[in-house]
Amino acid sequence: MSYLLNDPSDFADEMVEGFVSAHPDLVRRVEGGVARRTRTPAGEVAVVIGGGSGHYPAFAGLVGAGLAHGAALGNVFASPSAQQVCSVARAVAADAGVLLAFGNYAGDVLNFTQAKERLVAEGITARTIAVTDDISSAPASERHDRRGVAGDMVVFRAAAWAAEQGRTLDDVWALAAEANERTRTLGVAFSGCTLPGAEEPLFTVPPGRMALGMGIHGEPGLEELPMPTADALADLLVSRLLEEFPAAGELSGSHVAVILNGLGSVKSDELFVTYRRVAALLGDAGVTVVRPEVGELVTSFEMAGVSLTLGWLDDELEAAWTAPAETPAYRRGTDHPTTGEEAAVEDSEPTHVAPATAVSQLAAGTILAALLAIAATIDENAEELGRLDAVAGDGDHGIGMQRGANAAVRAAQEAVEAGAGAGTTLRSAGEAWAGRGGGTSGALWGTGLRAAGDELGDQAPPDAARAVAGVTVAAEAVADLGKAGVGDKTMVDAMVPFTEELRRRVAGGDDLAVAWSGAARAATDAAQATAELLPRIGRARPHAQKSVGTPDPGAVSFALVVTAVADVMARLQLAEGT
């Protein structure tokens, strides 16, 4: 559990504020995360890493000379939003482009990919690399589906070294990709971790047992085994990883980067006891260990666990792995100066309010009322949504929805006060939801609201037909971004029935309030029906069987949202006496 916190929803932001205050000589605060204190030199690719908070030293602690130029930081265990990634990238980009590097999780892939597309559209060359080192999360034949854990470090070091050599963006990406291909990780957990403010851990391990193959977001292990001795654990981890030896030629004579990583509660003394056996086993296999790292590099709050990473090195990767570095959490034989041209603090861009008709401004007020109701509903149900998500995921859905919905309200209030129409208000709310909510849900809700806003615009009256069109394009945008369909056990399983029922009722002559209410009931029924489905995509997929009997939290939250909107419509209709 977390002992020192204020409001749990502010935990990540306050953590970043304190981190920057503690390391002002190395890092600065930028919108969406942190960056090196000094500017990126001309001709140097900027390496931007990122992921959810709660994993320190990853990701903020790895910003500095010899490592990342910036880090985008999401909420606890939730990916940073596309807006956050773009903001950090803009803050550190010079003229050689940006490499975005992150672990292979659904929310990170969505948001970093969106960010890359936005940066390219702005004229900033960008590429992405998703780290896939965790051998427990998918078979070798499906390496592209594996998640990224402590092996991130090998990939980040390779990218940063190539960037500081003055290589092109394509060459930096290529070396990072080569590092990813050569890196493997396996971890175990002896206990679960607890989100700030929560009373119970995301998962538990029976006394005397360990979970093999846990994830850094608190995903349960794929297999339970008896608690081993330190030497037996080393034997297990080393043997499983050597089975995946990826480099050409004989294992004997290989040079390997080694990371023995503590996940929160397993501290250095125990890690050293275990490492002595790891080193001996690798020596017996004829492997040369290069500059091993034993300590905490990627954590998961108070989770008791450990992971072992092996990165097979060629000459270039060895040069990258052993190069000097100086960051708040990682310092190695550095000769990098910490002085240089100070980077300016970027001001946030003002909200642009397009001209709007009076009828569209009136509709914007209704949208604000709906968002207020949505935020109140999510606040009431955040704990339950988190509980549903923790069954097979990481338990962050409730707090992510809560942050996103409340941010959307604030953005909509500003837009309405500035005279915005319906379209601009929805787009502003969507940007805020994605930016503050983070994670998969933040990306999806942000995309849906922006798509609906584009469809409604700020001129035409938002009548029932236009509302149906807005909902339709929003559903299509969400499905396209998330690559989900009906039956995948996602938000789409409630969104599609809602959209179809709304369209059918409006076409049949129902007014919008009546049609919306009926469609909300259809969404609620569909959300509950997801309890019997197996997830086919997303973070819950590796633990699909665990989720049977529990409805999908994204589908449930969607049903709650549209039901809250239905209540607002009914109240407004009653007030108008219709």
Side-chain angles (χ1 to χ4, degrees):
M1 63 174 290
S2 297
Y3 297 96
L4 301 175
L5 70 159
N6 298 308
D7 186 331
S9 67
D10 293 330
F11 184 89
D13 292 330
E14 293 179 346
M15 179 276 294
V16 175
E17 183 180 348
F19 166 75
V20 173
S21 297
H23 301 285
D25 57 326
L26 295 173
V27 296
R28 59 192 165 102
R29 182 76 181 266
V30 297
E31 186 69 27
V34 299
R36 292 187 190 180
R37 186 174 62 82
T38 54
R39 287 189 179 277
T40 304
E44 185 172 307
V45 171
V47 177
V48 173
I49 64 176
S53 299
H55 303 304
Y56 192 85
F59 294 90
L62 305 180
V63 173
L67 253 163
H69 296 74
L73 307 173
N75 190 28
V76 175
F77 288 7
S79 72
S81 67
Q83 290 95 315
Q84 288 178 288
V85 179
C86 285
S87 294
V88 175
R90 294 188 197 106
V92 299
D95 56 350
V98 180
L99 179 69
L100 307 177
F102 50 92
N104 188 36
Y105 296 88
D108 294 286
V109 172
L110 285 177
N111 285 293
F112 278 87
T113 301
Q114 275 193 322
K116 181 200 74 173
E117 293 169 352
R118 293 188 191 182
L119 292 169
V120 170
E122 295 172 10
I124 300 175
T125 308
R127 295 196 67 170
T128 62
I129 178 79
V131 183
T132 55
D133 59 302
D134 182 9
I135 70 171
S136 70
S137 52
S141 60
E142 300 175 12
R143 279 206 63 223
H144 61 282
D145 286 332
R146 287 178 170 176
R147 61 196 172 205
V149 283
D152 285 357
M153 187 64 173
V154 182
V155 178
F156 297 166
R157 289 283 279 145
W161 177 80
E164 293 190 349
Q165 296 294 305
R167 299 190 181 185
T168 66
L169 177 58
D170 286 345
D171 289 341
V172 171
W173 177 89
L175 191 65
E178 180 67 14
N180 187 44
E181 285 296 316
R182 290 170 167 263
T183 302
R184 305 287 191 276
T185 299
L186 180 62
V188 298
F190 313 117
S191 72
C193 59
T194 309
L195 295 178
E199 296 182 358
E200 300 293 334
L202 293 175
F203 71 96
T204 58
V205 180
R209 309 281 290 179
M210 74 173 182
L212 176 67
M214 42 55 62
I216 60 170
H217 295 97
E219 301 95 334
L222 302 179
E223 180 183 1
E224 273 190 11
L225 298 171
M227 177 79 80
T229 63
D231 283 0
L233 177 59
D235 292 348
L236 171 64
L237 296 177
V238 170
S239 63
R240 294 282 183 98
L241 291 174
L242 291 184
E243 288 173 2
E244 290 220 1
F245 175 65
E250 295 295 325
L251 177 63
S252 179
S254 297
H255 286 208
V256 178
V258 179
I259 302 171
L260 187 62
N261 176 61
L263 284 152
S265 291
V266 178
K267 295 301 182 181
S268 296
D269 290 348
E270 296 166 90
L271 293 175
F272 287 132
V273 169
T274 307
Y275 181 73
R276 52 173 272 288
R277 177 64 175 171
V278 169
L281 291 168
L282 292 174
D284 290 345
V287 171
T288 298
V289 175
V290 179
R291 297 294 293 267
E293 296 291 343
V294 181
E296 294 182 346
L297 288 174
V298 182
T299 63
S300 190
F301 284 106
E302 86 283 19
M303 181 188 289
V306 61
S307 66
L308 178 64
T309 298
L310 300 183
W312 282 268
L313 305 172
D314 59 16
D315 290 344
E316 281 197 316
L317 292 175
E318 184 165 342
W321 181 245
T322 58
E326 183 172 13
T327 77
Y330 187 84
R331 303 190 182 196
R332 170 184 284 168
T334 180
D335 56 8
H336 286 81
T338 57
T339 59
E341 181 187 354
E342 292 287 342
V345 177
E346 293 78 9
D347 294 327
S348 58
E349 297 182 3
T351 302
H352 174 68
V353 177
T357 61
V359 69
S360 188
Q361 289 174 330
L362 183 62
T366 301
I367 290 169
L368 173 57
L371 287 168
L372 285 165
I374 289 168
T377 297
I378 295 300
D379 285 345
E380 292 172 5
N381 291 275
E383 184 175 349
E384 174 62 10
L385 292 173
R387 185 193 69 79
L388 294 176
D389 191 33
V391 171
D394 55 20
D396 71 334
H397 185 70
I399 194 169
M401 287 289 292
Q402 192 174 32
R403 287 164 61 97
N406 282 282
V409 167
R410 292 190 292 271
Q413 285 173 330
E414 293 178 3
V416 169
E417 290 171 0
T424 294
T425 300
L426 275 174
R427 285 191 295 269
S428 298
E431 290 287 344
W433 193 312
R436 181 68 172 165
T440 302
S441 65
L444 295 177
W445 277 98
T447 293
L449 290 173
R450 287 193 299 266
D454 289 342
E455 180 67 25
L456 288 184
D458 296 308
Q459 303 300 314
D463 55 16
R466 191 169 292 276
V468 169
V471 169
T472 300
V473 298
E476 292 171 349
V478 167
D480 180 65
L481 178 62
K483 302 297 186 289
V486 173
D488 286 337
K489 196 164 187 174
T490 69
M491 169 181 170
V492 171
D493 285 298
M495 198 171 197
V496 169
F498 172 82
T499 304
E500 292 176 346
E501 183 67 8
L502 181 67
R503 185 185 300 116
R504 185 187 70 80
R505 286 176 173 270
V506 169
D510 284 354
D511 65 42
L512 183 57
V514 172
W516 194 287
S517 180
R521 290 193 295 272
T524 300
D525 292 342
Q528 292 304 311
T530 62
E532 303 311 313
L533 298 176
L534 284 170
R536 296 193 292 222
I537 63 173
R539 195 172 286 168
R541 185 178 64 84
H543 309 286
Q545 198 61 44
K546 292 178 181 290
S547 75
V548 175
T550 301
D552 177 68
V556 171
S557 61
F558 177 84
L560 289 171
V561 165
V562 294
T563 299
V565 176
D567 293 341
V568 170
M569 288 184 172
R571 289 198 303 270
L572 291 174
Q573 190 177 60
L574 183 63
E576 293 170 358
T578 58

